[in-house]
Amino acid sequence: MLKEGLNTNNLDDLSGQRLRPSLLSDLWVLAKARVVSLLVFTAAVGEILAPNALVHWESALAGLVGIALAGGAGGVLNQIVEPALDQHMHRTLHRPLAEGRVSRTGAILYAAVLMGAAIAILAWGTNPLTLVLTLVGTVGYGVVYTLYLKPSTPWNIVWGGLAGALPPLIGWSAITGSLAALPLVLVLLVFVWTPAHFWPLAICCRQDYAKACIPMLPVTHGVDRTRKEILNYAILTWIVSLVPVFLTGDWVYGAIAALSGA
C-alpha cells in the first residue's frame, strides 16, 4: 500500500509538471494574443475597405504584422505594471507575471523585442502615418490607460478604449497613407462598442475589482447604473453602425446593420 501511495504521488507530481504552462504558452498569454486577434481583425477590415487594397498587398500584410506585434507589446506592458493587481483577481491570478513564471525583466525585454520588430516592419513596409498611429495606440493602452486611467476613474474603459479602436484607421492608412471619413467612423464604432462589451465582464468581476481597488463602474456606481450605461452604449453602437450607409450609399449593408443591430 505504501508503494501504491508513493506511485500515486509520483503520478500526481508528473501530472502537475505536464499541466504547467510552457514558455511559449506564457509568451502567448503575456502578449494577450486573443485580444490582439481582434485588433488585427478590425485592422483587416480597414484595409479591405481601402481603395486599391489588393494592389498594395505588401503594405497590407506589413500593417497587420506590425499591428499584431505592437498590440502584443502593449499587452505585455499592461501586465508588467499590474502583477500585484492580477494576483487579486480570479480572472488574472494565473498570468505568468502574477505567478512569477516570468520575471519583470524578462517581460520588459519581451515587450522591447515585440515593439522593436513592429516599428521596423511598419517603417519598412508601410508609411510614417501608420507607424505614428500604431505607436499612439500602443502607448495609449500600455501606458496611459494602464498607469493613469484604469486606477483613477470609473470611465477608464471609455477613454482607454480609444487606443483599441484605432486599428481600422491604421489598416486604412497602411494602404493609402492618409485619413478618411469612413475609417474614422469605424474607429468611432469600436470606441462606443467597447464599454458595452466590457462592462458586463466588469459586473461579473466587480468583487475582484473592488478587492484590487480598481474603480470600475459597477464598483463605484453600482450594478443598476452600469446596466443602464451598457444599454445606452449598445444603442449608440447601433446608431453609429448605420453611419457608413450615408458615406458609401450601400443600403444592403444598411439594412443588415439595422436589423442585426436592433
Side-chain angles (χ1 to χ4, degrees):
M1 292 181 66
L2 179 59
K3 290 182 179 180
E4 290 175 357
L6 289 173
N7 290 337
T8 301
N9 290 335
N10 289 338
L11 289 173
D12 289 342
D13 291 341
L14 290 173
S15 176
Q17 291 174 6
R18 282 195 296 268
L19 290 174
R20 178 182 172 83
S22 66
L23 177 59
L24 288 177
S25 175
D26 284 339
L27 294 178
W28 183 265
V29 172
L30 274 173
K32 294 192 173 182
R34 293 173 64 186
V35 175
V36 169
S37 68
L38 292 177
L39 303 181
V40 173
F41 174 78
T42 55
V45 171
E47 291 184 347
I48 291 169
L49 293 175
N52 301 317
L54 292 178
V55 175
H56 302 288
W57 65 267
E58 301 99 330
S59 296
L61 181 59
L64 294 181
V65 174
I67 290 167
L69 292 170
V76 179
L77 289 174
N78 174 262
Q79 293 175 74
I80 288 171
V81 174
E82 298 185 334
L85 294 178
D86 286 342
Q87 291 170 354
H88 288 87
M89 300 186 63
H90 290 93
R91 186 172 62 89
T92 58
L93 59 84
H94 294 301
R95 284 177 173 174
L97 279 167
E99 287 197 330
R101 297 194 304 274
V102 176
S103 68
R104 181 169 288 188
T105 301
I108 292 172
L109 179 61
Y110 181 38
V113 170
L114 289 175
M115 199 65 234
I119 291 172
I121 290 172
L122 291 172
W124 170 76
T126 61
N127 51 71
L129 177 60
T130 302
L131 177 57
V132 169
L133 289 172
T134 303
L135 290 175
V136 169
T138 303
V139 173
Y141 175 72
V143 178
V144 178
Y145 169 73
T146 303
L147 284 178
Y148 300 104
L149 294 175
K150 187 173 181 178
S152 62
T153 171
W155 305 102
N156 46 28
I157 197 63
V158 176
W159 302 112
L162 181 59
L166 288 176
L169 184 60
I170 296 172
W172 177 282
S173 71
I175 301 297
T176 66
S178 63
L179 307 179
L182 181 58
L184 287 172
V185 170
L186 296 180
V187 170
L188 180 60
L189 179 60
V190 179
F191 176 71
V192 297
W193 167 83
T194 301
H197 151 74
F198 189 84
W199 277 330
L201 175 63
I203 289 176
C204 294
C205 300
R206 63 187 182 278
Q207 294 180 348
D208 283 347
Y209 281 121
K211 186 167 60 175
C213 297
I214 300 174
M216 289 296 179
L217 192 65
V219 176
T220 60
H221 290 68
V223 173
D224 287 343
R225 171 65 185 278
T226 305
R227 286 172 174 161
K228 292 177 182 177
E229 293 297 340
I230 290 169
L231 179 59
N232 291 338
Y233 275 88
I235 294 172
L236 188 57
T237 300
W238 180 46
I239 293 172
V240 173
S241 74
L242 301 177
V243 175
V245 176
F246 302 98
L247 298 175
T248 65
D250 190 343
W251 294 98
V252 174
Y253 160 79
I256 296 171
L259 291 173
S260 60

